[in-house]
């Protein structure tokens, strides 16, 4: 039987070692990616003090969010991050139920999120997904189009632009992973110099979290090494 509290402790240790290696003092936020995993596992992580969760599949996620919002008070502190591809006809549900969206890459979706974010909630926090290698199969904004897109998002009052997100190519070498993550960091720093301050860098998964921490990730999205392999 897998122990989620132990797995979380192991991840925190890996983050600390990487921070030491990079000479970093600021701790990146850990998002536990619970996609495809049952609500019981989310509860176990909660008991171990983990409050940020990432989900990819909307219908699945809505069931979990609903179940957990009904159980106990502690669950009210959960922060839900939508990290999957989003169709525009589902945008209103993300606007109503989530705290964060990491995969914003279309104006039409941004507009819908902005229109549907309920008044009683704070503006939806969003990251722009960037397609670093300009791979045609992947979603995301091309780096050269990022500034223009970001400026449009910043005009939407019910969205709060926080940062950039990427899912780079799966590489096995630390140096290769690090170089890809540094491209996203560079892009963020360029935007900041051009007057668009987007502090967050959502990057790093189970297999490359060390390289992401060294490159300056502020949010790590970890699934497999917390909850086990997915089917
Ligand atoms: C599934 C997923 C993750 C988690 O990946 P692991 O390799 O299981 O840690 C992170 N980010 C996104 C966008 C994902 O879809």
């Amino acid at each position: 039987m897998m122990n989620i509290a132990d797995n979380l402790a192991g991840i925190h240790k890996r983050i600390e070692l990487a921070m030491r290696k990079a000479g970093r003092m600021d701790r990146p936020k850990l998002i536990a990616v619970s996609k495809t995993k049952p609500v019981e596992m989310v509860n176990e992580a909660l008991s171990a003090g983990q409050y940020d969760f990432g989900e990819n599949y909307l219908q699945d996620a809505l069931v979990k969010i609903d179940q957990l919002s009904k159980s106990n008070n502690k669950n009210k502190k959960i922060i839900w991050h939508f990290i999957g591809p989003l169709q525009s006809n589902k945008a209103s549900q993300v606007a109503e139920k989530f705290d964060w969206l990491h995969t914003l890459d279309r104006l039409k979706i941004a507009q819908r999120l902005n229109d549907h974010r309920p008044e009683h909630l704070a503006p939806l926090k969003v990251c722009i997904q960037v397609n670093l290698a300009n791979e045609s199969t992947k979603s995301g904004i091309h780096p050269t189009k990022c500034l223009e897109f970001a400026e449009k998002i910043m005009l939407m009052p019910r969205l709060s632009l926080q940062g950039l997100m990427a899912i780079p190519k799966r590489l096995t070498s630390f140096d290769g992973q690090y170089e890809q993550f540094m491209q996203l960091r560079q892009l963020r720093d360029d935007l900041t110099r051009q007057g668009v301050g987007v502090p967050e860098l959502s990057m790093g998964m189970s297999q490359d979290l060390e390289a992401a921490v060294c490159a300056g990730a502020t949010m790590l999205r970890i699934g497999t090494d917390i909850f086990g392999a997915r089917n």
Side-chain angles (χ1 to χ4, degrees), residues 120-167:
H120 69 278
L121 298 176
L124 180 70
K125 295 188 171 83
V126 297
C127 291
I128 296 174
Q129 184 174 0
V130 180
N131 187 349
L132 289 173
N134 204 19
E135 297 167 275
S136 57
T137 52
K138 275 199 186 155
S139 17
I141 295 275
H142 188 271
T144 58
K145 305 258 164 66
C146 236
L147 177 63
E148 188 191 342
F149 187 71
E151 285 173 337
K152 288 179 178 151
I153 301 306
M154 290 206 310
L155 295 174
M156 301 187 181
R158 303 299 295 145
L159 302 185
S160 169
L161 181 59
Q162 298 285 316
L164 305 179
M165 176 270 203
I167 312 172

Side-chain angles (χ1 to χ4, degrees), residues 33 35 56 83-84 103 165 167 170 204-207 221-225 230:
V33 177
K35 64 182 178 202
N56 283 52
I83 63 168
T103 50
M165 176 270 203
I167 312 172
R170 237 181 152 74
M205 312 189 352
S206 294
Q207 175 240 0
R221 309 178 310 265
I222 311 293
T224 307
D225 286 358
R230 293 175 294 273

Side-chain angles (χ1 to χ4, degrees), residues 22-204:
R24 249 183 97 161
M25 306 301 284
D26 60 312
R27 181 176 294 274
K29 185 187 287 295
L30 174 60
I31 300 169
V33 177
S34 46
K35 64 182 178 202
T36 78
K37 300 298 183 185
V39 99
E40 290 74 20
M41 283 187 163
V42 174
N43 265 321
E44 262 188 77
L46 273 169
S47 302
Q50 175 66 35
Y51 287 98
D52 284 84
F53 292 92
E55 289 281 339
N56 283 52
Y57 306 108
L58 187 59
Q59 293 320 315
D60 228 39
L62 292 175
V63 173
K64 275 184 235 180
I65 291 172
D66 193 46
Q67 282 178 331
L68 284 161
S69 70
K70 279 179 191 142
S71 24
N72 68 54
N73 233 357
K74 195 176 70 177
N75 296 350
K76 301 245 184 308
K77 290 204 292 189
I78 300 180
I79 298 167
W80 291 104
H81 301 252
F82 195 77
I83 63 168
L86 179 60
Q87 297 168 326
S88 61
N89 63 348
K90 307 265 175 67
S92 64
Q93 288 166 292
V94 168
E96 284 160 20
K97 298 292 183 179
F98 282 80
D99 302 289
W100 282 80
L101 170 72
H102 289 236
T103 50
L104 189 60
D105 66 352
R106 283 167 57 198
L107 218 46
K108 181 177 165 188
I109 290 181
Q111 197 62 62
R112 289 215 177 172
L113 292 165
N114 185 63
D115 291 346
H116 287 97
R117 181 67 172 174
E119 280 303 323
H120 69 278
L121 298 176
L124 180 70
K125 295 188 171 83
V126 297
C127 291
I128 296 174
Q129 184 174 0
V130 180
N131 187 349
L132 289 173
N134 204 19
E135 297 167 275
S136 57
T137 52
K138 275 199 186 155
S139 17
I141 295 275
H142 188 271
T144 58
K145 305 258 164 66
C146 236
L147 177 63
E148 188 191 342
F149 187 71
E151 285 173 337
K152 288 179 178 151
I153 301 306
M154 290 206 310
L155 295 174
M156 301 187 181
R158 303 299 295 145
L159 302 185
S160 169
L161 181 59
Q162 298 285 316
L164 305 179
M165 176 270 203
I167 312 172
K169 283 197 293 265
R170 237 181 152 74
L171 302 178
T172 48
S173 86
F174 177 92
D175 291 347
Q177 296 167 351
Y178 178 77
E179 194 184 324
Q180 296 191 113
F181 290 136
M182 282 305 283
Q183 289 175 24
L184 194 70
R185 181 194 181 135
Q186 221 107 63
L187 182 60
R188 182 207 51 190
D189 294 346
D190 288 347
L191 291 182
T192 302
R193 268 194 299 277
Q194 294 171 97
V196 176
V198 284
E200 303 287 349
L201 286 174
S202 168
M203 58 189 196

